[in-house]
């Protein structure tokens, strides 16, 4: 009896302590909030936004470093000579006008009065120096825009390309070609000086960035007094941060979370069909997945419709072709599909015809002594691709293919090292609105992101021709031929084209969802009292 | 408390554990649904007569997954306890019985391991070895053997100078005979109680490592891993975390209560 009483007292004491702990936490968070509010009130209107590292995760604030230029464009720190509108049409931005002199020569007039955030003028020579540094620093630059030479004269920049470049203006929208002051060494923390509406005042890699308006901004004056962007890779924490009022906006929200913000009196959900696709990338140098029959069988085991409708909560479209239907060269019209439905029985048949059988009775198919067992990698923070991995594991096990799922925060180094069999990746496939982007980035033999080592001379030749063809119809015809080759060879398997989702409190205004995924913070975003 | 009451309590708690063992080791053969089979059209179904604990984000039956996961949680914890108690006890007995340089070396190793917070050390080891159940078992063994080494060393040190041990030694009994005939029977009870009381803690540690992504790999239904995977659906489908958490709670409390009853039983003697 005495023992029971002591136990009851202990439980009560524990409960009180736990509750007190929660209370303290709440008090602390309130305290923090109060301090923040006080800071906010002294600083004015501050937008607090959160996203996973896939959207906000810059390593540095140097446009030329890796993919940081893209993130800096999202931050509203860097800008380009041209900017894509919501229909992927490039419009003059830092460049005021342009003239195409011949197939390879272009003249750009740099807008007068544009300054870097350090007060220096943006001249043609500054842009030239900036591009020169970027090309020296980043190996992706050459495949983005192949420049033979540049000449600067006052505000006129002349660019000569190595070959005719029909997508020149779109290429100049790529954030890798963002404009920054290359005459100064980048600051260790705050990186390079750019021309965007906001400048960083504090930056911690893969954690947060604090920004204030750029006093030299050339466009409409930014409406906010400050912007705080945080990387929160735990999507549950991210969701609760918006619910609790710790942040005002979530960029690229997971589709599965949208149901929690259905109250239209409090939240707005904006979405746009982007060209981003979740796709399987096969390592063609590894046995098993190097067999086209195996890849085709795997393709038949992916229930794309369910993935798009349930996992993506309808914010996605099942894909059997290559490019998203959001772009004129996308969809499956005119293509002969090798996989056009979810059909595990068909997959079994293909593998059986190809000579795979479970000869040793371990439940996994094998051929010539090699088991059909693969390492499947995906991002640890991407709920949708994680669920796809689980779906695939369960489906493939049924047909005798073993899958070991491995998750990672950053996959690029593993992909570059070729230490994978299958990767579930997610790329914006045509962020500049052209088929050349993804083709040259991933599909051609010497592409920088051709991690699976796919090599098809026909694709290489078609890609080369497409890259120099000015006639848009002809470009799309060549794109169709490339897509057909990809569908036949199946080095990649495109599962679903997804939507870009922003969710924010109703007191936030001026947010535009641009399907290119290049932009978020701009001078129009405001917070209403 | 009277002996009969203690026996009754012990019997009841042992019965509960045996029922759990049956559920986790025999139950998987009689499950109404395949625990790893996805059926996405059935995703996020709340508890119902068809799925008594509801379904998860991929339409998998949570009840079936809990049963399947129970086997992993209990089996891995038993593996950790067996390995760490055997290794730790052998080292502790060597240190306690032989003393001298052996005692110094083993005691120093124990001191070094004790310098780290145990779960942090387990996280570090599992992190270095990589994500897998096997590596999580190794990491936890590296943490838990210390308890048994310390305990067996001190127990052996206490009895080593007892007259019956000295007499056996003077009569020329070999060390293995002294160990198996006299030392082991004297310390086994205390070691066993400690093992039983530690199982709950090991189950929680294993779940903790899996929760942090250092234990079971997807799509294993280990409870810690499932709780981690379903955190993002905590608001849409609270039953996923709720029932897995409840299973973890029941098993841990089952082992703790059994250990407590065993302790009472032995002390009552």
């Amino acid at each position: 009896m005495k023992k029971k009483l002591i136990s009851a007292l202990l439980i009560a004491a524990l409960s009180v302590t736990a509750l007190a702990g929660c209370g303290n936490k709440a008090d602390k968070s309130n305290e923090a909030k109060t301090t923040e509010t006080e800071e906010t009130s002294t600083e004015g209107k501050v937008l607090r936004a959160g996203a996973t590292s896939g959207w906000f995760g810059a390593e540095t604030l140097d446009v030329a470093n890796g993919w940081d230029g893209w993130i800096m464009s999202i931050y509203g720190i860097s800008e380009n000579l041209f900017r894509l509108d919501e229909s992927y049409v490039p419009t003059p931005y830092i460049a005021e006008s342009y003239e195409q002199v011949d197939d390879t020569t272009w003249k750009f007039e740099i807008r007068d009065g544009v300054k870097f955030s350090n007060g220096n003028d943006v001249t043609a020579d500054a842009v030239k120096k900036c591009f020169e540094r970027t090309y020296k620093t980043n190996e992706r630059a050459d495949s983005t825009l192949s420049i033979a030479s540049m000449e600067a004269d006052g505000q006129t920049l002349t660019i000569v390309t190595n070959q005719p470049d029909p997508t020149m203006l779109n290429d100049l929208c790529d954030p890798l070609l963002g404009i920054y002051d290359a005459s100064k060494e980048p600051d260790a923390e705050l990186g390079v000086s750019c021309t965007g509406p906001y400048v960083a005042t504090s930056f911690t890699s893969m954690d947060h960035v604090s920004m204030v308006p750029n006093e030299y901004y050339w466009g409409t004056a930014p409406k906010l007094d400050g912007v705080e962007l945080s990387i929160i890779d735990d999507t549950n924490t991210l969701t609760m941060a918006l619910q609790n009022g710790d942040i005002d906006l979530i960029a690229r929200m997971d589709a599965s979370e949208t149901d929690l913000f259905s109250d239209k009196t409090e939240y707005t959900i904006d979405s746009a069909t982007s060209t981003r696709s979740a796709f399987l990338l096969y390592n063609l140098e590894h046995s098993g997945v190097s067999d086209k029959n195996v890849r085709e069988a795997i393709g038949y085991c992916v229930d794309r419709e369910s993935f798009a409708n349930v996992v993506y909560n309808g914010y996605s479209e099942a894909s059997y072709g290559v490019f998203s239907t959001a772009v004129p060269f996308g969809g499956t019209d005119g293509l002969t599909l090798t996989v056009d439905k979810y059909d595990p029985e068909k997959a079994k048949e293909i593998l059986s015809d190809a000579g795979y059988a479970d000869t040793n009775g371990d439940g996994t198919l094998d051929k010539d002594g090699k088991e059909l067992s693969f390492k499947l990698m995906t991002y640890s923070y991407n709920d949708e691709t994680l669920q796809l991995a689980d779906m695939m594991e369960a489906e493939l096990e049924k047909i005798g293919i073993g899958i070991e799922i491995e998750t990672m925060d950053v996959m690029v180094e593993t992909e570059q090292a070729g230490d994978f069999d299958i990767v579930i990746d997610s790329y914006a496939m045509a962020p500049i609105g052209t088929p050349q982007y993804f083709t040259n980035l991933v599909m051609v033999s010497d592409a920088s992101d051709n991690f699976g080592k796919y090599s098809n001379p026909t694709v290489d030749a078609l890609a080369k021709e497409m890259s120099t063809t000015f006639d848009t119809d002809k470009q799309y015809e060549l794109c169709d031929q490339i897509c057909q080759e990809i569908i036949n060879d199946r080095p990649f398997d495109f599962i679903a084209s997804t939507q870009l989702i922003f969710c924010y409190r109703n007191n936030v205004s001026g947010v535009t969802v641009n399907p290119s995924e290049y932009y978020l913070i701009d001078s129009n975003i405001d917070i209403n009292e | 408390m009277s002996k009969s009451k203690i026996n009754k309590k012990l019997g009841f708690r042992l019965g509960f554990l045996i029922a759990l063992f049956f559920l986790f080791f025999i139950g998987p053969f009689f499950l109404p649904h395949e625990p790893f089979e996805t059926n996405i059209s059935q995703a996020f179904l709340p508890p119902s007569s068809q799925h008594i604990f509801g379904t998860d984000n991929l339409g998998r039956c949570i009840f079936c997954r809990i049963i399947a996961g129970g086997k992993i949680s209990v089996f891995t914890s038993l593996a950790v306890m067996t390995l760490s108690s055997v290794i730790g006890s052998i080292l502790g007995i060597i240190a306690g019985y032989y003393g001298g340089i052996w005692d110094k070396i083993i005691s120093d190793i124990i001191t070094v391991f004790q310098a780290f917070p145990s779960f942090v050390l387990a996280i570090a080891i599992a992190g270095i070895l990589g994500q897998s159940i096997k590596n999580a078992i190794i990491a936890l063994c590296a943490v838990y053997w210390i308890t048994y080494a310390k305990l067996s060393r001190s127990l052996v040190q206490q009895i080593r100078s007892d007259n019956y041990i000295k007499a056996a030694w003077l009569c020329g009994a070999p060390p293995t005979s002294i160990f198996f005939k006299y030392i082991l029977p004297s310390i086994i009870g205390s070691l066993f109680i400690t093992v039983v009381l530690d199982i709950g803690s090991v189950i929680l540690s294993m779940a903790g490592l899996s929760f942090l992504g250092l234990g079971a790999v997807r799509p294993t239904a280990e409870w810690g891993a499932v709780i981690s995977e379903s955190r993002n659906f905590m608001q849409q489908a609270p039953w996923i975390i709720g029932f897995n958490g409840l299973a973890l709670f029941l098993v841990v409390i089952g082992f703790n209560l059994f250990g407590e009853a065993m302790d009472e039983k032995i002390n009552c003697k």
Side-chain angles (χ1 to χ4, degrees):
Chain A
M1 187 64 201
K2 196 177 169 188
K3 208 167 184 180
K4 276 185 185 168
L5 188 69
I6 291 170
S7 304
L9 281 172
L10 273 174
I11 289 169
L14 270 174
S15 309
V16 169
T17 317
L19 286 173
C22 293
N24 279 342
K25 199 176 176 187
D27 288 344
K28 267 187 192 167
S29 69
N30 283 342
E31 205 175 281
K33 227 175 185 177
T34 315
T35 318
E36 213 167 81
T37 316
E38 276 166 13
E39 274 174 19
T40 305
S41 63
T42 53
E43 292 173 2
K45 293 187 280 189
V46 177
L47 175 79
R48 296 156 304 160
T52 60
S53 49
W55 184 260
F56 276 172
E59 287 173 4
T60 66
L61 290 183
D62 181 354
V63 173
N65 181 60
W67 293 89
D68 291 345
W70 190 325
I71 310 293
M72 288 173 72
S73 174
I74 288 170
Y75 287 172
I77 292 177
S78 79
E79 293 177 332
N80 286 47
L81 293 182
F82 286 78
R83 186 179 172 99
L84 289 166
D85 69 11
E86 284 158 47
S87 311
Y88 297 100
V89 177
T91 52
Y93 218 56
I94 302 296
E96 196 167 24
S97 60
Y98 72 96
E99 181 195 347
Q100 185 179 356
V101 180
D102 57 43
D103 278 0
T104 57
T105 311
W106 300 71
K107 275 190 177 176
F108 299 95
E109 204 60 32
I110 306 301
R111 194 179 292 274
D112 267 329
V114 179
K115 286 178 184 291
F116 293 113
S117 57
N118 59 9
N120 289 348
D121 288 327
V122 178
T123 60
D125 188 51
V127 175
K128 178 173 175 269
K129 284 197 172 92
C130 156
F131 283 174
E132 282 168 352
R133 180 177 175 274
T134 299
Y135 274 70
K136 206 182 283 179
T137 313
N138 197 311
E139 63 172 22
R140 265 190 311 118
D142 259 330
S143 62
T144 304
L145 174 63
S146 184
I147 296 177
S149 66
M150 285 184 285
E151 202 176 295
D153 179 17
Q155 292 301 95
T156 308
L157 175 71
T158 306
I159 297 179
V160 180
T161 56
N162 281 315
Q163 64 270 329
D165 186 358
T167 62
M168 176 70 156
L169 303 183
N170 298 72
D171 294 340
L172 286 171
C173 297
D174 190 314
L176 176 60
L177 301 180
I179 310 301
Y180 58 91
D181 188 359
S183 66
K184 303 262 164 62
E185 274 300 302
D187 181 87
E189 181 193 352
L190 303 177
V192 292
S193 298
C194 303
T195 63
Y198 291 94
V199 288
T201 52
S202 141
F203 170 75
T204 305
S205 176
M206 297 291 174
D207 183 66
H208 86 278
V209 61
S210 305
M211 301 186 293
V212 294
N214 173 6
E215 60 178 304
Y216 299 105
Y217 188 55
W218 60 276
T220 316
K223 294 187 169 67
L224 297 167
D225 297 303
V227 179
E228 298 281 343
L229 305 179
S230 306
I231 292 170
I232 305 173
D233 273 330
D234 185 319
T235 49
N236 195 38
T237 310
L238 185 61
T239 306
M240 287 197 284
L242 182 58
Q243 288 173 319
N244 297 340
D246 293 339
I247 57 174
D248 309 301
L249 180 149
I250 294 178
R252 206 168 82 185
M253 173 180 264
D254 277 355
S256 60
E257 315 283 354
T258 51
D259 286 345
L260 300 171
F261 300 96
S262 54
D263 181 0
K264 287 185 179 166
T265 60
E266 210 171 336
Y267 304 105
T268 301
I269 295 178
D270 275 352
S271 66
T273 303
S274 73
T275 59
R276 180 169 291 278
S277 277
F279 66 97
L280 308 180
L281 163 66
Y282 294 103
N283 188 339
L284 303 182
E285 292 189 329
H286 283 195
S287 68
V289 283
S290 59
D291 183 344
K292 197 175 89 178
N293 293 304
V294 173
R295 301 197 295 273
E296 196 172 319
I298 293 173
Y300 272 113
C301 289
V302 181
D303 186 354
R304 291 151 216 260
E305 305 292 342
S306 296
F307 180 62
N309 296 329
V310 180
V311 175
Y312 269 105
N313 216 4
Y315 285 93
S316 175
E317 189 178 274
S319 170
Y320 293 94
V322 178
F323 287 100
S324 151
T325 52
V327 282
F329 49 87
T332 54
D333 288 349
L335 299 175
T336 308
L337 302 177
T338 47
V339 172
D340 56 358
K341 61 184 172 205
Y342 165 64
D343 189 351
E345 290 306 316
K346 177 81 178 162
K348 279 185 198 168
E349 199 182 305
I350 291 169
L351 291 173
S352 174
D353 291 348
Y356 290 94
D358 185 9
T359 56
N360 53 11
D362 65 349
T364 309
L365 298 175
D366 54 85
K367 186 180 170 184
D368 304 328
K370 287 188 178 163
E371 299 280 329
L372 280 188
S373 191
F374 306 118
K375 182 157 87 175
L376 174 68
M377 280 176 29
T378 193
Y379 297 103
S380 55
Y381 57 80
N382 189 324
D383 260 347
E384 285 94 5
T385 57
L386 282 170
Q387 290 180 70
L388 177 60
D390 285 345
M391 284 170 69
M392 285 181 62
E393 195 276 341
E395 289 295 336
L396 293 175
E397 193 195 11
K398 284 188 215 163
I399 65 159
I401 297 180
I403 291 289
E404 183 194 327
I405 300 169
E406 194 171 311
T407 61
M408 293 185 141
D409 289 343
V410 181
M411 285 203 301
V412 69
E413 283 167 15
T414 314
E415 287 177 315
Q416 280 169 345
D419 188 17
F420 66 94
D421 296 318
I422 311 169
V423 161
I424 304 178
D425 219 324
S426 169
Y427 268 59
M429 291 174 61
I432 56 172
T434 67
Q436 286 89 339
Y437 175 88
F438 191 75
T439 308
N440 293 331
L441 182 69
V442 177
M443 293 176 179
V444 297
S445 300
D446 58 352
S448 60
D449 286 14
N450 181 4
F451 303 124
K453 305 294 177 205
Y454 173 60
S455 183
N456 179 338
T458 311
V459 169
D460 292 351
L462 289 167
K464 199 170 178 185
E465 190 184 346
M466 184 171 70
S467 297
T468 53
T469 302
F470 280 84
D471 179 359
T472 312
D473 290 338
K474 177 72 179 161
Q475 271 184 41
Y476 293 171
E477 194 187 312
L478 291 164
C479 173
D480 277 352
Q481 290 177 42
I482 291 172
C483 291
Q484 189 60 61
E485 289 291 322
I486 297 296
I487 287 168
N488 294 343
D489 292 344
R490 307 196 71 77
F492 319 99
D493 196 339
F494 300 91
I495 309 298
S497 307
T498 61
Q499 290 193 20
L500 176 63
I501 306 167
F502 290 172
C503 179
Y504 48 92
R505 297 190 160 275
N506 284 347
N507 63 341
V508 179
S509 62
V511 178
T512 310
V513 187
N514 190 303
S516 71
E517 299 194 8
Y518 283 159
Y519 318 114
L520 168 62
I521 304 296
D522 61 24
S523 59
N524 296 319
I525 296 186
D526 197 4
I527 289 189
N528 309 308
E529 298 303 330
Chain B
M1 198 182 283
S2 69
K3 265 190 180 178
S4 66
K5 271 191 175 177
I6 290 173
N7 283 338
K8 205 172 158 188
K9 192 202 266 183
L10 184 64
F12 179 75
R13 290 176 185 183
L14 184 63
F16 178 68
L17 281 188
I18 290 170
L20 283 180
F21 270 81
F22 268 101
L23 194 62
F24 295 146
F25 289 89
I26 311 287
F29 296 106
F30 303 100
L31 290 176
H33 307 279
E34 165 57 43
F36 299 101
E37 188 169 327
T38 59
N39 182 357
I40 209 141
S41 62
Q42 305 261 304
F44 294 128
L45 291 182
S48 64
S49 56
Q50 201 190 351
H51 299 281
I52 56 168
F53 288 175
T55 61
D56 68 5
N57 54 315
L58 296 175
R60 294 171 295 197
C61 172
I62 293 168
F63 173 74
C64 301
R65 283 177 69 73
I66 285 175
I67 302 296
K71 190 168 71 177
I72 299 163
S73 293
V74 174
F75 176 77
T76 51
S77 307
L78 291 178
V80 169
M81 290 325 298
T82 309
L83 286 171
S84 53
S85 61
V86 168
I87 295 167
S89 301
I90 290 172
L91 290 172
I93 289 165
I94 291 171
Y97 185 75
Y98 290 106
I101 186 76
W102 290 107
D103 189 25
K104 184 161 174 37
I105 292 171
I106 292 168
S107 298
D108 284 352
I109 293 171
I110 291 172
T111 309
V112 169
F113 272 79
Q114 276 186 309
F116 301 97
S118 56
F119 194 62
V120 174
L121 181 63
I123 290 173
I125 296 169
I128 291 165
L129 295 176
Q131 184 185 11
S132 79
I133 288 268
K134 190 182 80 185
N135 292 340
I137 290 174
I138 294 171
L140 290 178
C141 283
V143 167
Y144 277 92
W145 72 273
I146 302 163
T147 311
Y148 300 96
K150 273 165 56 189
L151 178 65
S152 53
R153 176 178 167 271
S154 63
L155 289 172
V156 172
Q157 275 179 339
Q158 279 171 27
I159 59 170
R160 149 178 100 162
S161 50
D162 285 356
N163 288 338
Y164 69 99
I165 301 281
K166 280 181 184 167
W169 182 69
L170 284 171
C171 291
T176 47
S177 168
I178 295 174
F179 171 72
F180 284 111
K181 276 190 180 165
Y182 307 110
I183 295 179
L184 196 58
S186 306
I187 66 170
I188 193 84
S190 301
L191 288 174
F192 182 68
I193 295 292
T194 314
V195 166
V196 175
L197 284 170
D198 269 355
I199 289 180
S201 151
V202 173
I203 291 174
L204 283 178
S205 299
M206 181 59 79
L209 287 180
S210 295
F211 182 86
L212 294 173
L214 298 169
V217 294
R218 299 172 81 96
T220 314
E222 201 276 336
W223 298 334
V226 173
I227 289 172
S228 175
E229 285 161 21
S230 50
R231 269 178 312 147
N232 292 336
F233 315 115
M234 199 165 64
Q235 296 187 58
Q236 298 99 314
W239 51 87
I240 310 177
I241 279 190
F243 284 116
N244 278 281
L246 183 67
L248 196 57
F249 168 77
L250 286 176
V251 171
V252 171
I253 208 161
F255 275 105
N256 284 351
L257 289 176
F258 174 68
E260 187 205 60
M262 278 292 292
D263 193 24
E264 280 177 12
K265 168 91 176 157
I266 287 173
N267 287 335
C268 184
K269 272 180 183 173

